[in-house]
Each structure stands twice: as structure tokens, then as C-alpha cells.
């Protein structure tokens, strides 16, 4: 029974990944607007995970509430990834410097995204970056994946879902730097609800968009500095709250083994992501 459950779970995740990769190739020559292609891709790629989960289970997971959160605190929760982004960035830079010792490097996808936002801030880019991408990513990697592997070890589950969320981006730049942020969103879903994770992700992406758009423009530097200090302060507050929650629930879960770690589709997903990373890296260089 457990094997069948995890086969369907990670099989659906692989379908999501393949659709997310292949659909842009199908529409690339037919639709010139890249962000429009990404919008279509995000919607189509979500369908198999929704079908596998089933409407009733999907809605039960989506509407499940655990701990109430003050609406004002959601702003702090949305700004807290400032710290996880910094941690991810430091890890990324450390790996990058390590690679340079061997004459290697990787393509800076995040920088390319920021440059596209600065030069072409179209409505479709705003819609995808600030709403649809975070919405569907949370529905797949928190409501579909994280909820399904919370038992028997919730803390391991949110770490695994954060790792797979980062790998799904299939490029070294984002996949390395997004691991801490992915784990953070998993923590929000575990403690509060999927909707809190969605709200934090939407606000976080919107902040990234505004920062990238204002970069190099009047008052852009001042905005960035103010945002940085507010973000760090929010990170400290959320960090204290998370520490108290962890201390209170450190024995959460059972001593049972996480059987999904033995599932072949789980490892197949990771292998496919790594292969795609190398292919994307190669394609970016030619």
C-alpha cells in the first residue's frame, strides 16, 4: 500500500517536471513571449498532480489549518526569506568559488531573470513572477508533496520537499540557492497552512520583482537598503518564533523510517533533475 502511494506521488512529480520542461519546447517557435509560455506551462504541469491527488484530498489539504497566524505577521513571514536567500546565496558563492579552482563555473539564471524584469516588465512577466509561479509551486511542492511525506518524520519531510523544490528549477544557480528558502516555505505549511506558504511566496516574489525593477533607477538603492534591514529584522523575529516552535515540537513524529526514501521514483526524480541541470548548463553556453 505504501509503495503504491509513493509510486503515484513521485511518479506525479516526475510528470510535473517533464511537462514543465517539455511544454516550453513545444510552444517556443509558436509563441514569442517567453513569460506567456511559462504561464501555460505552470498551469498544464499542475494538472497531473491534481488528478493523482484527487479533488477531495486536494481541497482537504489546501483548507487544512493548524496554527492561526496574525495577518500582520504574514508580512514578517514574507520578508523572512531575506535571510534564507542570503544563506542560499552564500552557499552558492562558496560552491562557485570551489568550482573555479578546477576551472569550472555555472550560468547565473537569477541574474538573467532580474535583467529581463528590468528591461521588459510586461504584464505577463508580472503575472507569472508575482502570482502564478509561487501559487503553482506551493500547490505542487507543499500541498501535494510536503503534505504527503509529513509522516512519519515532519522535519525530514519539509527538508526533502525543500530540496526537491530547489532541484525542480533544474539549474545550478537557483537549485543551490533555493534550498533554504524551499525548506522555509515547507515549515510555514507544516506549522500554519498551505495558504500561508502561498501568501509568503507570492509576497516574496513580488518583493524580488520590485527590487529588480527599481535596480539602477532613482531611489532604487535606498529602497534596497531599507528592504534589506526590514527583511533582516523580520528574519530575526520569525527565527525566534521558529526556534520556540521547534523546541516545543522537537519530538514531533515517530521513530518509524521514512519509507519514501527507498522509492525508485523518488531517486529517479533527483537523477532527472541533475541530468537536466547539466543539459541546461550546456545549452546556456552554446
Amino acid at each position: 500500500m505504501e509503495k503504491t502511494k509513493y509510486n503515484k506521488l513521485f511518479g506525479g512529480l516526475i510528470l510535473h517536471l517533464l511537462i514543465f520542461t517539455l511544454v516550453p519546447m513545444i510552444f517556443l517557435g509558436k509563441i514569442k513571449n517567453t513569460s506567456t509560455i511559462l504561464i501555460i506551462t505552470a498551469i498544464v504541469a499542475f494538472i497531473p498532480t491534481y488528478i493523482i491527488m484527487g479533488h477531495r484530498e486536494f481541497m482537504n489539504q489546501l483548507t487544512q489549518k493548524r496554527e492561526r497566524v496574525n495577518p500582520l505577521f504574514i508580512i514578517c513571514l514574507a520578508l523572512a526569506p531575506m535571510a534564507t536567500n542570503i544563506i542560499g546565496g552564500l552557499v552558492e558563492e562558496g560552491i562557485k568559488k570551489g568550482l573555479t579552482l578546477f576551472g569550472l563555473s555555472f550560468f547565473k539564471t537569477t541574474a538573467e531573470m532580474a535583467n529581463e524584469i528590468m528591461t521588459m516588465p510586461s504584464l505577463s512577466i508580472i503575472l507569472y513572477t508575482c502570482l502564478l509561479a509561487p501559487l503553482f509551486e506551493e500547490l505542487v511542492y507543499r500541498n501535494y508533496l510536503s503534505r504527503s511525506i509529513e509522516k512519519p518524520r515532519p522535519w525530514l519531510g519539509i527538508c526533502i520537499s525543500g530540496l526537491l523544490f530547489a532541484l525542480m528549477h533544474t539549474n545550478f544557480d537557483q537549485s543551490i540557492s533555493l534550498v533554504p528558502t524551499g525548506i522555509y516555505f515547507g515549515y510555514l505549511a507544516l506549522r500554519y497552512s498551505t495558504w500561508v506558504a502561498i501568501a509568503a511566496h507570492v509576497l516574496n516574489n513580488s518583493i524580488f520583482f520590485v527590487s529588480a525593477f527599481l535596480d539602477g533607477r532613482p531611489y532604487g538603492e535606498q529602497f534596497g537598503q531599507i528592504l534589506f534591514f526590514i527583511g533582516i529584522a523580520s528574519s530575526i523575529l520569525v527565527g525566534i518564533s521558529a526556534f520556540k516552535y521547534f523546541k516545543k515540537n522537537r519530538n514531533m513524529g515517530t521513530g518509524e523510517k521514512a519509507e519514501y526514501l527507498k522509492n525508485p521514483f523518488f531517486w529517479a526524480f533527483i537523477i532527472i533533475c541533475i541530468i537536466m541541470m547539466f543539459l541546461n548548463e550546456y545549452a546556456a553556453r552554446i
Side-chain angles (χ1 to χ4, degrees):
M1 185 67 178
E2 285 290 299
K3 184 178 179 180
T4 302
K5 170 189 172 182
Y6 292 131
N7 284 347
K8 290 173 63 177
L9 174 68
F10 294 109
L13 213 57
I14 290 173
L15 278 175
H16 172 269
L17 176 65
L18 293 176
I19 293 172
F20 201 83
T21 305
L22 296 175
V23 168
M25 296 180 184
I26 296 171
F27 288 99
L28 198 57
K30 301 175 182 179
I31 302 176
K32 294 182 178 180
N33 192 317
T34 304
S35 52
T36 301
I37 296 174
L38 290 174
I39 290 172
I40 295 171
T41 301
I43 296 171
V44 174
F46 169 69
I47 294 174
T49 59
Y50 175 79
I51 292 174
I52 290 171
M53 178 174 272
H55 177 73
R56 179 178 294 180
E57 182 66 16
F58 172 80
M59 292 307 299
N60 285 341
Q61 302 284 51
L62 187 61
T63 56
Q64 186 182 98
K65 296 179 181 179
R66 296 176 178 178
E67 185 177 321
R68 294 187 65 181
V69 58
N70 188 313
L72 293 177
F73 194 57
I74 290 181
I75 303 298
C76 287
L77 296 177
L79 289 169
M82 181 71 70
T84 59
N85 291 338
I86 291 172
I87 293 169
L90 290 174
V91 173
E92 176 196 338
E93 285 301 313
I95 293 175
K96 183 180 177 182
K97 288 181 179 179
L99 290 174
T100 57
L101 297 175
F102 301 94
L104 302 172
S105 64
F106 52 77
F107 185 66
K108 293 285 290 182
T109 305
T110 305
E112 290 296 312
M113 288 171 57
N115 183 61
E116 184 178 2
I117 288 171
M118 287 187 289
T119 55
M120 297 186 303
S122 66
L123 179 61
S124 56
I125 288 178
I126 296 172
L127 180 63
Y128 178 76
T129 305
C130 300
L131 180 61
L132 294 182
L135 171 63
F136 284 109
E137 285 174 1
E138 291 306 309
L139 289 178
V140 173
Y141 285 88
R142 250 58 69 181
N143 201 59
Y144 174 76
L145 173 62
S146 190
R147 282 280 186 261
S148 300
I149 60 174
E150 282 182 350
K151 297 178 181 180
R153 299 185 178 182
W155 301 115
L156 177 62
I158 64 173
C159 289
I160 293 296
S161 68
L163 174 63
L164 299 191
F165 162 75
L167 288 176
M168 174 272 297
H169 290 79
T170 63
N171 63 75
F172 289 105
D173 176 26
Q174 284 185 296
S175 293
I176 292 169
S177 61
L178 280 178
V179 172
T181 303
I183 292 172
Y184 172 70
F185 288 139
Y187 154 73
L188 294 183
L190 175 71
R191 181 174 180 178
Y192 302 109
S193 71
T194 303
W195 281 110
V196 171
I198 290 172
H201 199 159
V202 167
L203 288 171
N204 179 66
N205 279 29
S206 300
I207 290 167
F208 164 77
F209 182 91
V210 173
S211 299
F213 178 72
L214 292 178
D215 188 39
R217 290 178 167 82
Y219 305 107
E221 184 177 350
Q222 293 90 328
F223 176 81
Q225 291 174 348
I226 293 171
L227 183 63
F228 175 80
F229 288 112
I230 295 176
I232 293 300
S234 297
S235 303
I236 293 171
L237 291 174
V238 173
I240 293 171
S241 175
F243 175 76
K244 290 180 178 178
Y245 179 78
F246 175 78
K247 187 176 180 180
K248 180 181 177 182
N249 299 278
R250 60 181 177 274
N251 296 321
M252 183 187 293
T254 67
E256 297 177 24
K257 293 182 179 179
E259 293 297 327
Y260 56 84
L261 294 178
K262 301 177 183 178
N263 188 273
F265 288 99
F266 169 78
W267 292 105
F269 179 87
I270 293 176
I271 292 169
I272 292 170
C273 285
I274 293 172
I275 291 172
M276 286 183 176
M277 283 184 196
F278 281 101
L279 292 176
N280 287 338
E281 188 71 15
Y282 174 75
R285 295 176 183 275
I286 60 176

